[in-house]
Amino acid sequence: MLNESNSSTIKNPLSIQQIISMIVILSLGIQQLIMLNNDHNHNHEIAYFFLIFWLSGCSVVLLFIIYRVLQEATEIKWGTDNLFIHKKWIVAKDIDSIMIYGYLFPMIGIKPKGKRIVPDYLCFRFIEDKDKAMKQLNTWAEANGIRIIYKKFMKWL
């Protein structure tokens, strides 16, 4: 059963490291593209087209990351034995652990059982009354027997 008083506002985490790394990859790729264009030897046609394809893919990934960061805030709601997050229900028995990384702006990831990486829709940060929300999350996790792990974790984009 869903208790409306147990909800908090969440947003997708800031992915500064991913954004910076994609910008570095794109800038290095553009530099290589310029070098191939300046070389008037036509033996590099395959490398040129591969580089264009690679830069296009990296640009799409960068745009996707920026889109996710700029998405509107949503709510997480705690039920007695389930969570409602990003318009999806997650049952407590399907959750392996809750992972928290960072102190000032912690990133929270909910790792489902049988998965090695946290799915992107289960990764978030609290934006309003963080301390109260973290206490609610800890209380909910204890009540449902879910481990809380404080360490860096892998997530999809």
Side-chain angles (χ1 to χ4, degrees), residues 9-34:
T9 307
I10 60 171
K11 224 177 151 151
N12 291 320
L14 295 171
S15 301
I16 300 297
Q17 291 175 337
Q18 290 176 331
I19 291 172
I20 290 172
S21 63
M22 291 308 292
I23 290 172
V24 167
I25 289 171
L26 283 170
S27 62
L28 291 174
I30 290 170
Q31 180 185 6
Q32 285 294 323
L33 195 62
I34 291 170

mmCIF file with all atom_site columns, all heavy atoms in Angstrom, residues 9-34:
data_model
loop_
_atom_site.group_PDB
_atom_site.id
_atom_site.type_symbol
_atom_site.label_atom_id
_atom_site.label_alt_id
_atom_site.label_comp_id
_atom_site.label_asym_id
_atom_site.label_entity_id
_atom_site.label_seq_id
_atom_site.pdbx_PDB_ins_code
_atom_site.Cartn_x
_atom_site.Cartn_y
_atom_site.Cartn_z
_atom_site.occupancy
_atom_site.B_iso_or_equiv
_atom_site.pdbx_formal_charge
_atom_site.auth_seq_id
_atom_site.auth_comp_id
_atom_site.auth_asym_id
_atom_site.auth_atom_id
_atom_site.pdbx_PDB_model_num
ATOM 1   N N   . THR A 1 9  ? 11.140 14.514 -3.687  1.00 0.00 ? 9  THR A N   1
ATOM 2   C CA  . THR A 1 9  ? 11.422 14.952 -5.042  1.00 0.00 ? 9  THR A CA  1
ATOM 3   C C   . THR A 1 9  ? 12.822 14.505 -5.425  1.00 0.00 ? 9  THR A C   1
ATOM 4   O O   . THR A 1 9  ? 13.774 14.690 -4.670  1.00 0.00 ? 9  THR A O   1
ATOM 5   C CB  . THR A 1 9  ? 11.313 16.482 -5.140  1.00 0.00 ? 9  THR A CB  1
ATOM 6   O OG1 . THR A 1 9  ? 10.050 16.889 -4.625  1.00 0.00 ? 9  THR A OG1 1
ATOM 7   C CG2 . THR A 1 9  ? 11.429 16.940 -6.580  1.00 0.00 ? 9  THR A CG2 1
ATOM 8   N N   . ILE A 1 10 ? 12.934 13.896 -6.603  1.00 0.00 ? 10 ILE A N   1
ATOM 9   C CA  . ILE A 1 10 ? 14.225 13.395 -7.083  1.00 0.00 ? 10 ILE A CA  1
ATOM 10  C C   . ILE A 1 10 ? 14.491 13.898 -8.495  1.00 0.00 ? 10 ILE A C   1
ATOM 11  O O   . ILE A 1 10 ? 13.586 14.327 -9.205  1.00 0.00 ? 10 ILE A O   1
ATOM 12  C CB  . ILE A 1 10 ? 14.288 11.850 -7.068  1.00 0.00 ? 10 ILE A CB  1
ATOM 13  C CG1 . ILE A 1 10 ? 13.194 11.260 -7.968  1.00 0.00 ? 10 ILE A CG1 1
ATOM 14  C CG2 . ILE A 1 10 ? 14.216 11.320 -5.665  1.00 0.00 ? 10 ILE A CG2 1
ATOM 15  C CD1 . ILE A 1 10 ? 13.319 9.764  -8.173  1.00 0.00 ? 10 ILE A CD1 1
ATOM 16  N N   . LYS A 1 11 ? 15.750 13.824 -8.870  1.00 0.00 ? 11 LYS A N   1
ATOM 17  C CA  . LYS A 1 11 ? 16.181 14.186 -10.211 1.00 0.00 ? 11 LYS A CA  1
ATOM 18  C C   . LYS A 1 11 ? 17.271 13.230 -10.643 1.00 0.00 ? 11 LYS A C   1
ATOM 19  O O   . LYS A 1 11 ? 17.901 12.582 -9.818  1.00 0.00 ? 11 LYS A O   1
ATOM 20  C CB  . LYS A 1 11 ? 16.725 15.614 -10.191 1.00 0.00 ? 11 LYS A CB  1
ATOM 21  C CG  . LYS A 1 11 ? 16.236 16.426 -11.349 1.00 0.00 ? 11 LYS A CG  1
ATOM 22  C CD  . LYS A 1 11 ? 16.706 17.821 -11.277 1.00 0.00 ? 11 LYS A CD  1
ATOM 23  C CE  . LYS A 1 11 ? 16.782 18.208 -12.710 1.00 0.00 ? 11 LYS A CE  1
ATOM 24  N NZ  . LYS A 1 11 ? 16.611 19.497 -13.078 1.00 0.00 ? 11 LYS A NZ  1
ATOM 25  N N   . ASN A 1 12 ? 17.492 13.128 -11.935 1.00 0.00 ? 12 ASN A N   1
ATOM 26  C CA  . ASN A 1 12 ? 18.590 12.311 -12.436 1.00 0.00 ? 12 ASN A CA  1
ATOM 27  C C   . ASN A 1 12 ? 19.906 12.910 -11.963 1.00 0.00 ? 12 ASN A C   1
ATOM 28  O O   . ASN A 1 12 ? 20.035 14.131 -11.853 1.00 0.00 ? 12 ASN A O   1
ATOM 29  C CB  . ASN A 1 12 ? 18.560 12.243 -13.955 1.00 0.00 ? 12 ASN A CB  1
ATOM 30  C CG  . ASN A 1 12 ? 17.389 11.454 -14.461 1.00 0.00 ? 12 ASN A CG  1
ATOM 31  O OD1 . ASN A 1 12 ? 17.039 10.435 -13.894 1.00 0.00 ? 12 ASN A OD1 1
ATOM 32  N ND2 . ASN A 1 12 ? 16.770 11.921 -15.520 1.00 0.00 ? 12 ASN A ND2 1
ATOM 33  N N   . PRO A 1 13 ? 20.897 12.071 -11.682 1.00 0.00 ? 13 PRO A N   1
ATOM 34  C CA  . PRO A 1 13 ? 22.162 12.595 -11.131 1.00 0.00 ? 13 PRO A CA  1
ATOM 35  C C   . PRO A 1 13 ? 22.937 13.409 -12.147 1.00 0.00 ? 13 PRO A C   1
ATOM 36  O O   . PRO A 1 13 ? 22.829 13.200 -13.353 1.00 0.00 ? 13 PRO A O   1
ATOM 37  C CB  . PRO A 1 13 ? 22.929 11.331 -10.741 1.00 0.00 ? 13 PRO A CB  1
ATOM 38  C CG  . PRO A 1 13 ? 22.343 10.257 -11.580 1.00 0.00 ? 13 PRO A CG  1
ATOM 39  C CD  . PRO A 1 13 ? 20.918 10.623 -11.818 1.00 0.00 ? 13 PRO A CD  1
ATOM 40  N N   . LEU A 1 14 ? 23.718 14.361 -11.613 1.00 0.00 ? 14 LEU A N   1
ATOM 41  C CA  . LEU A 1 14 ? 24.618 15.115 -12.471 1.00 0.00 ? 14 LEU A CA  1
ATOM 42  C C   . LEU A 1 14 ? 25.727 14.180 -12.918 1.00 0.00 ? 14 LEU A C   1
ATOM 43  O O   . LEU A 1 14 ? 26.349 13.520 -12.101 1.00 0.00 ? 14 LEU A O   1
ATOM 44  C CB  . LEU A 1 14 ? 25.213 16.296 -11.703 1.00 0.00 ? 14 LEU A CB  1
ATOM 45  C CG  . LEU A 1 14 ? 24.228 17.360 -11.266 1.00 0.00 ? 14 LEU A CG  1
ATOM 46  C CD1 . LEU A 1 14 ? 24.923 18.345 -10.343 1.00 0.00 ? 14 LEU A CD1 1
ATOM 47  C CD2 . LEU A 1 14 ? 23.650 18.067 -12.461 1.00 0.00 ? 14 LEU A CD2 1
ATOM 48  N N   . SER A 1 15 ? 25.972 14.122 -14.199 1.00 0.00 ? 15 SER A N   1
ATOM 49  C CA  . SER A 1 15 ? 26.982 13.213 -14.750 1.00 0.00 ? 15 SER A CA  1
ATOM 50  C C   . SER A 1 15 ? 28.156 14.007 -15.293 1.00 0.00 ? 15 SER A C   1
ATOM 51  O O   . SER A 1 15 ? 28.512 13.904 -16.466 1.00 0.00 ? 15 SER A O   1
ATOM 52  C CB  . SER A 1 15 ? 26.350 12.357 -15.840 1.00 0.00 ? 15 SER A CB  1
ATOM 53  O OG  . SER A 1 15 ? 25.287 11.614 -15.332 1.00 0.00 ? 15 SER A OG  1
ATOM 54  N N   . ILE A 1 16 ? 28.747 14.806 -14.424 1.00 0.00 ? 16 ILE A N   1
ATOM 55  C CA  . ILE A 1 16 ? 29.835 15.685 -14.844 1.00 0.00 ? 16 ILE A CA  1
ATOM 56  C C   . ILE A 1 16 ? 31.008 14.900 -15.430 1.00 0.00 ? 16 ILE A C   1
ATOM 57  O O   . ILE A 1 16 ? 31.550 15.276 -16.470 1.00 0.00 ? 16 ILE A O   1
ATOM 58  C CB  . ILE A 1 16 ? 30.308 16.553 -13.654 1.00 0.00 ? 16 ILE A CB  1
ATOM 59  C CG1 . ILE A 1 16 ? 29.162 17.428 -13.124 1.00 0.00 ? 16 ILE A CG1 1
ATOM 60  C CG2 . ILE A 1 16 ? 31.509 17.400 -14.025 1.00 0.00 ? 16 ILE A CG2 1
ATOM 61  C CD1 . ILE A 1 16 ? 28.637 18.428 -14.120 1.00 0.00 ? 16 ILE A CD1 1
ATOM 62  N N   . GLN A 1 17 ? 31.388 13.794 -14.780 1.00 0.00 ? 17 GLN A N   1
ATOM 63  C CA  . GLN A 1 17 ? 32.515 12.994 -15.282 1.00 0.00 ? 17 GLN A CA  1
ATOM 64  C C   . GLN A 1 17 ? 32.221 12.452 -16.672 1.00 0.00 ? 17 GLN A C   1
ATOM 65  O O   . GLN A 1 17 ? 33.095 12.473 -17.549 1.00 0.00 ? 17 GLN A O   1
ATOM 66  C CB  . GLN A 1 17 ? 32.814 11.839 -14.334 1.00 0.00 ? 17 GLN A CB  1
ATOM 67  C CG  . GLN A 1 17 ? 33.392 12.262 -13.017 1.00 0.00 ? 17 GLN A CG  1
ATOM 68  C CD  . GLN A 1 17 ? 33.560 11.096 -12.061 1.00 0.00 ? 17 GLN A CD  1
ATOM 69  O OE1 . GLN A 1 17 ? 32.896 10.075 -12.193 1.00 0.00 ? 17 GLN A OE1 1
ATOM 70  N NE2 . GLN A 1 17 ? 34.446 11.257 -11.102 1.00 0.00 ? 17 GLN A NE2 1
ATOM 71  N N   . GLN A 1 18 ? 31.006 11.967 -16.900 1.00 0.00 ? 18 GLN A N   1
ATOM 72  C CA  . GLN A 1 18 ? 30.657 11.434 -18.213 1.00 0.00 ? 18 GLN A CA  1
ATOM 73  C C   . GLN A 1 18 ? 30.624 12.540 -19.261 1.00 0.00 ? 18 GLN A C   1
ATOM 74  O O   . GLN A 1 18 ? 31.092 12.337 -20.395 1.00 0.00 ? 18 GLN A O   1
ATOM 75  C CB  . GLN A 1 18 ? 29.306 10.740 -18.159 1.00 0.00 ? 18 GLN A CB  1
ATOM 76  C CG  . GLN A 1 18 ? 29.318 9.458  -17.383 1.00 0.00 ? 18 GLN A CG  1
ATOM 77  C CD  . GLN A 1 18 ? 27.933 8.845  -17.281 1.00 0.00 ? 18 GLN A CD  1
ATOM 78  O OE1 . GLN A 1 18 ? 26.931 9.549  -17.302 1.00 0.00 ? 18 GLN A OE1 1
ATOM 79  N NE2 . GLN A 1 18 ? 27.891 7.529  -17.186 1.00 0.00 ? 18 GLN A NE2 1
ATOM 80  N N   . ILE A 1 19 ? 30.088 13.693 -18.910 1.00 0.00 ? 19 ILE A N   1
ATOM 81  C CA  . ILE A 1 19 ? 30.019 14.802 -19.865 1.00 0.00 ? 19 ILE A CA  1
ATOM 82  C C   . ILE A 1 19 ? 31.421 15.260 -20.247 1.00 0.00 ? 19 ILE A C   1
ATOM 83  O O   . ILE A 1 19 ? 31.736 15.431 -21.432 1.00 0.00 ? 19 ILE A O   1
ATOM 84  C CB  . ILE A 1 19 ? 29.184 15.970 -19.290 1.00 0.00 ? 19 ILE A CB  1
ATOM 85  C CG1 . ILE A 1 19 ? 27.705 15.564 -19.201 1.00 0.00 ? 19 ILE A CG1 1
ATOM 86  C CG2 . ILE A 1 19 ? 29.343 17.229 -20.139 1.00 0.00 ? 19 ILE A CG2 1
ATOM 87  C CD1 . ILE A 1 19 ? 26.825 16.550 -18.484 1.00 0.00 ? 19 ILE A CD1 1
ATOM 88  N N   . ILE A 1 20 ? 32.291 15.420 -19.259 1.00 0.00 ? 20 ILE A N   1
ATOM 89  C CA  . ILE A 1 20 ? 33.667 15.861 -19.538 1.00 0.00 ? 20 ILE A CA  1
ATOM 90  C C   . ILE A 1 20 ? 34.409 14.830 -20.378 1.00 0.00 ? 20 ILE A C   1
ATOM 91  O O   . ILE A 1 20 ? 35.094 15.176 -21.339 1.00 0.00 ? 20 ILE A O   1
ATOM 92  C CB  . ILE A 1 20 ? 34.413 16.167 -18.223 1.00 0.00 ? 20 ILE A CB  1
ATOM 93  C CG1 . ILE A 1 20 ? 33.828 17.425 -17.584 1.00 0.00 ? 20 ILE A CG1 1
ATOM 94  C CG2 . ILE A 1 20 ? 35.912 16.327 -18.465 1.00 0.00 ? 20 ILE A CG2 1
ATOM 95  C CD1 . ILE A 1 20 ? 34.356 17.725 -16.203 1.00 0.00 ? 20 ILE A CD1 1
ATOM 96  N N   . SER A 1 21 ? 34.245 13.549 -20.039 1.00 0.00 ? 21 SER A N   1
ATOM 97  C CA  . SER A 1 21 ? 34.954 12.524 -20.817 1.00 0.00 ? 21 SER A CA  1
ATOM 98  C C   . SER A 1 21 ? 34.447 12.465 -22.257 1.00 0.00 ? 21 SER A C   1
ATOM 99  O O   . SER A 1 21 ? 35.245 12.284 -23.185 1.00 0.00 ? 21 SER A O   1
ATOM 100 C CB  . SER A 1 21 ? 34.838 11.156 -20.140 1.00 0.00 ? 21 SER A CB  1
ATOM 101 O OG  . SER A 1 21 ? 33.499 10.741 -20.081 1.00 0.00 ? 21 SER A OG  1
ATOM 102 N N   . MET A 1 22 ? 33.151 12.635 -22.467 1.00 0.00 ? 22 MET A N   1
ATOM 103 C CA  . MET A 1 22 ? 32.625 12.628 -23.841 1.00 0.00 ? 22 MET A CA  1
ATOM 104 C C   . MET A 1 22 ? 33.123 13.849 -24.616 1.00 0.00 ? 22 MET A C   1
ATOM 105 O O   . MET A 1 22 ? 33.430 13.745 -25.810 1.00 0.00 ? 22 MET A O   1
ATOM 106 C CB  . MET A 1 22 ? 31.094 12.589 -23.834 1.00 0.00 ? 22 MET A CB  1
ATOM 107 C CG  . MET A 1 22 ? 30.518 11.282 -23.335 1.00 0.00 ? 22 MET A CG  1
ATOM 108 S SD  . MET A 1 22 ? 31.171 9.814  -24.141 1.00 0.00 ? 22 MET A SD  1
ATOM 109 C CE  . MET A 1 22 ? 30.536 9.995  -25.764 1.00 0.00 ? 22 MET A CE  1
ATOM 110 N N   . ILE A 1 23 ? 33.237 14.993 -23.962 1.00 0.00 ? 23 ILE A N   1
ATOM 111 C CA  . ILE A 1 23 ? 33.767 16.192 -24.623 1.00 0.00 ? 23 ILE A CA  1
ATOM 112 C C   . ILE A 1 23 ? 35.234 15.983 -25.004 1.00 0.00 ? 23 ILE A C   1
ATOM 113 O O   . ILE A 1 23 ? 35.654 16.359 -26.103 1.00 0.00 ? 23 ILE A O   1
ATOM 114 C CB  . ILE A 1 23 ? 33.571 17.440 -23.735 1.00 0.00 ? 23 ILE A CB  1
ATOM 115 C CG1 . ILE A 1 23 ? 32.076 17.789 -23.676 1.00 0.00 ? 23 ILE A CG1 1
ATOM 116 C CG2 . ILE A 1 23 ? 34.385 18.617 -24.244 1.00 0.00 ? 23 ILE A CG2 1
ATOM 117 C CD1 . ILE A 1 23 ? 31.732 18.874 -22.676 1.00 0.00 ? 23 ILE A CD1 1
ATOM 118 N N   . VAL A 1 24 ? 35.999 15.357 -24.125 1.00 0.00 ? 24 VAL A N   1
ATOM 119 C CA  . VAL A 1 24 ? 37.412 15.082 -24.429 1.00 0.00 ? 24 VAL A CA  1
ATOM 120 C C   . VAL A 1 24 ? 37.508 14.121 -25.609 1.00 0.00 ? 24 VAL A C   1
ATOM 121 O O   . VAL A 1 24 ? 38.313 14.334 -26.532 1.00 0.00 ? 24 VAL A O   1
ATOM 122 C CB  . VAL A 1 24 ? 38.141 14.524 -23.176 1.00 0.00 ? 24 VAL A CB  1
ATOM 123 C CG1 . VAL A 1 24 ? 39.497 13.943 -23.538 1.00 0.00 ? 24 VAL A CG1 1
ATOM 124 C CG2 . VAL A 1 24 ? 38.285 15.606 -22.123 1.00 0.00 ? 24 VAL A CG2 1
ATOM 125 N N   . ILE A 1 25 ? 36.697 13.052 -25.594 1.00 0.00 ? 25 ILE A N   1
ATOM 126 C CA  . ILE A 1 25 ? 36.711 12.090 -26.708 1.00 0.00 ? 25 ILE A CA  1
ATOM 127 C C   . ILE A 1 25 ? 36.332 12.769 -28.013 1.00 0.00 ? 25 ILE A C   1
ATOM 128 O O   . ILE A 1 25 ? 36.973 12.551 -29.051 1.00 0.00 ? 25 ILE A O   1
ATOM 129 C CB  . ILE A 1 25 ? 35.776 10.906 -26.401 1.00 0.00 ? 25 ILE A CB  1
ATOM 130 C CG1 . ILE A 1 25 ? 36.370 10.033 -25.298 1.00 0.00 ? 25 ILE A CG1 1
ATOM 131 C CG2 . ILE A 1 25 ? 35.511 10.075 -27.656 1.00 0.00 ? 25 ILE A CG2 1
ATOM 132 C CD1 . ILE A 1 25 ? 35.426 8.968  -24.775 1.00 0.00 ? 25 ILE A CD1 1
ATOM 133 N N   . LEU A 1 26 ? 35.295 13.620 -27.976 1.00 0.00 ? 26 LEU A N   1
ATOM 134 C CA  . LEU A 1 26 ? 34.881 14.331 -29.193 1.00 0.00 ? 26 LEU A CA  1
ATOM 135 C C   . LEU A 1 26 ? 35.964 15.287 -29.679 1.00 0.00 ? 26 LEU A C   1
ATOM 136 O O   . LEU A 1 26 ? 36.233 15.357 -30.886 1.00 0.00 ? 26 LEU A O   1
ATOM 137 C CB  . LEU A 1 26 ? 33.579 15.093 -28.938 1.00 0.00 ? 26 LEU A CB  1
ATOM 138 C CG  . LEU A 1 26 ? 32.311 14.254 -28.920 1.00 0.00 ? 26 LEU A CG  1
ATOM 139 C CD1 . LEU A 1 26 ? 31.131 15.067 -28.424 1.00 0.00 ? 26 LEU A CD1 1
ATOM 140 C CD2 . LEU A 1 26 ? 32.021 13.703 -30.306 1.00 0.00 ? 26 LEU A CD2 1
ATOM 141 N N   . SER A 1 27 ? 36.602 15.998 -28.762 1.00 0.00 ? 27 SER A N   1
ATOM 142 C CA  . SER A 1 27 ? 37.633 16.943 -29.205 1.00 0.00 ? 27 SER A CA  1
ATOM 143 C C   . SER A 1 27 ? 38.850 16.223 -29.788 1.00 0.00 ? 27 SER A C   1
ATOM 144 O O   . SER A 1 27 ? 39.420 16.673 -30.793 1.00 0.00 ? 27 SER A O   1
ATOM 145 C CB  . SER A 1 27 ? 38.048 17.863 -28.057 1.00 0.00 ? 27 SER A CB  1
ATOM 146 O OG  . SER A 1 27 ? 38.605 17.121 -27.008 1.00 0.00 ? 27 SER A OG  1
ATOM 147 N N   . LEU A 1 28 ? 39.224 15.089 -29.186 1.00 0.00 ? 28 LEU A N   1
ATOM 148 C CA  . LEU A 1 28 ? 40.331 14.305 -29.758 1.00 0.00 ? 28 LEU A CA  1
ATOM 149 C C   . LEU A 1 28 ? 39.950 13.722 -31.121 1.00 0.00 ? 28 LEU A C   1
ATOM 150 O O   . LEU A 1 28 ? 40.769 13.681 -32.046 1.00 0.00 ? 28 LEU A O   1
ATOM 151 C CB  . LEU A 1 28 ? 40.742 13.191 -28.803 1.00 0.00 ? 28 LEU A CB  1
ATOM 152 C CG  . LEU A 1 28 ? 41.431 13.637 -27.510 1.00 0.00 ? 28 LEU A CG  1
ATOM 153 C CD1 . LEU A 1 28 ? 41.643 12.452 -26.584 1.00 0.00 ? 28 LEU A CD1 1
ATOM 154 C CD2 . LEU A 1 28 ? 42.738 14.337 -27.828 1.00 0.00 ? 28 LEU A CD2 1
ATOM 155 N N   . GLY A 1 29 ? 38.721 13.284 -31.261 1.00 0.00 ? 29 GLY A N   1
ATOM 156 C CA  . GLY A 1 29 ? 38.257 12.754 -32.543 1.00 0.00 ? 29 GLY A CA  1
ATOM 157 C C   . GLY A 1 29 ? 38.211 13.820 -33.618 1.00 0.00 ? 29 GLY A C   1
ATOM 158 O O   . GLY A 1 29 ? 38.586 13.569 -34.778 1.00 0.00 ? 29 GLY A O   1
ATOM 159 N N   . ILE A 1 30 ? 37.766 15.023 -33.243 1.00 0.00 ? 30 ILE A N   1
ATOM 160 C CA  . ILE A 1 30 ? 37.740 16.126 -34.210 1.00 0.00 ? 30 ILE A CA  1
ATOM 161 C C   . ILE A 1 30 ? 39.166 16.498 -34.618 1.00 0.00 ? 30 ILE A C   1
ATOM 162 O O   . ILE A 1 30 ? 39.430 16.787 -35.789 1.00 0.00 ? 30 ILE A O   1
ATOM 163 C CB  . ILE A 1 30 ? 36.973 17.332 -33.624 1.00 0.00 ? 30 ILE A CB  1
ATOM 164 C CG1 . ILE A 1 30 ? 35.483 16.985 -33.542 1.00 0.00 ? 30 ILE A CG1 1
ATOM 165 C CG2 . ILE A 1 30 ? 37.179 18.583 -34.457 1.00 0.00 ? 30 ILE A CG2 1
ATOM 166 C CD1 . ILE A 1 30 ? 34.647 17.974 -32.771 1.00 0.00 ? 30 ILE A CD1 1
ATOM 167 N N   . GLN A 1 31 ? 40.098 16.469 -33.664 1.00 0.00 ? 31 GLN A N   1
ATOM 168 C CA  . GLN A 1 31 ? 41.502 16.741 -33.982 1.00 0.00 ? 31 GLN A CA  1
ATOM 169 C C   . GLN A 1 31 ? 42.027 15.707 -34.970 1.00 0.00 ? 31 GLN A C   1
ATOM 170 O O   . GLN A 1 31 ? 42.717 16.055 -35.936 1.00 0.00 ? 31 GLN A O   1
ATOM 171 C CB  . GLN A 1 31 ? 42.336 16.732 -32.702 1.00 0.00 ? 31 GLN A CB  1
ATOM 172 C CG  . GLN A 1 31 ? 43.799 16.998 -32.944 1.00 0.00 ? 31 GLN A CG  1
ATOM 173 C CD  . GLN A 1 31 ? 44.619 16.861 -31.671 1.00 0.00 ? 31 GLN A CD  1
ATOM 174 O OE1 . GLN A 1 31 ? 44.115 16.468 -30.639 1.00 0.00 ? 31 GLN A OE1 1
ATOM 175 N NE2 . GLN A 1 31 ? 45.896 17.180 -31.775 1.00 0.00 ? 31 GLN A NE2 1
ATOM 176 N N   . GLN A 1 32 ? 41.705 14.443 -34.769 1.00 0.00 ? 32 GLN A N   1
ATOM 177 C CA  . GLN A 1 32 ? 42.130 13.388 -35.701 1.00 0.00 ? 32 GLN A CA  1
ATOM 178 C C   . GLN A 1 32 ? 41.502 13.595 -37.076 1.00 0.00 ? 32 GLN A C   1
ATOM 179 O O   . GLN A 1 32 ? 42.151 13.376 -38.109 1.00 0.00 ? 32 GLN A O   1
ATOM 180 C CB  . GLN A 1 32 ? 41.740 12.014 -35.159 1.00 0.00 ? 32 GLN A CB  1
ATOM 181 C CG  . GLN A 1 32 ? 42.598 11.543 -34.025 1.00 0.00 ? 32 GLN A CG  1
ATOM 182 C CD  . GLN A 1 32 ? 44.023 11.300 -34.483 1.00 0.00 ? 32 GLN A CD  1
ATOM 183 O OE1 . GLN A 1 32 ? 44.275 10.837 -35.595 1.00 0.00 ? 32 GLN A OE1 1
ATOM 184 N NE2 . GLN A 1 32 ? 44.959 11.656 -33.634 1.00 0.00 ? 32 GLN A NE2 1
ATOM 185 N N   . LEU A 1 33 ? 40.236 14.017 -37.085 1.00 0.00 ? 33 LEU A N   1
ATOM 186 C CA  . LEU A 1 33 ? 39.544 14.271 -38.353 1.00 0.00 ? 33 LEU A CA  1
ATOM 187 C C   . LEU A 1 33 ? 40.224 15.402 -39.122 1.00 0.00 ? 33 LEU A C   1
ATOM 188 O O   . LEU A 1 33 ? 40.416 15.307 -40.343 1.00 0.00 ? 33 LEU A O   1
ATOM 189 C CB  . LEU A 1 33 ? 38.077 14.612 -38.063 1.00 0.00 ? 33 LEU A CB  1
ATOM 190 C CG  . LEU A 1 33 ? 37.111 14.564 -39.216 1.00 0.00 ? 33 LEU A CG  1
ATOM 191 C CD1 . LEU A 1 33 ? 37.031 13.154 -39.780 1.00 0.00 ? 33 LEU A CD1 1
ATOM 192 C CD2 . LEU A 1 33 ? 35.734 15.008 -38.747 1.00 0.00 ? 33 LEU A CD2 1
ATOM 193 N N   . ILE A 1 34 ? 40.607 16.448 -38.415 1.00 0.00 ? 34 ILE A N   1
ATOM 194 C CA  . ILE A 1 34 ? 41.306 17.565 -39.052 1.00 0.00 ? 34 ILE A CA  1
ATOM 195 C C   . ILE A 1 34 ? 42.660 17.104 -39.602 1.00 0.00 ? 34 ILE A C   1
ATOM 196 O O   . ILE A 1 34 ? 43.047 17.469 -40.719 1.00 0.00 ? 34 ILE A O   1
ATOM 197 C CB  . ILE A 1 34 ? 41.475 18.728 -38.053 1.00 0.00 ? 34 ILE A CB  1
ATOM 198 C CG1 . ILE A 1 34 ? 40.103 19.349 -37.767 1.00 0.00 ? 34 ILE A CG1 1
ATOM 199 C CG2 . ILE A 1 34 ? 42.442 19.785 -38.576 1.00 0.00 ? 34 ILE A CG2 1
ATOM 200 C CD1 . ILE A 1 34 ? 40.112 20.336 -36.620 1.00 0.00 ? 34 ILE A CD1 1
#
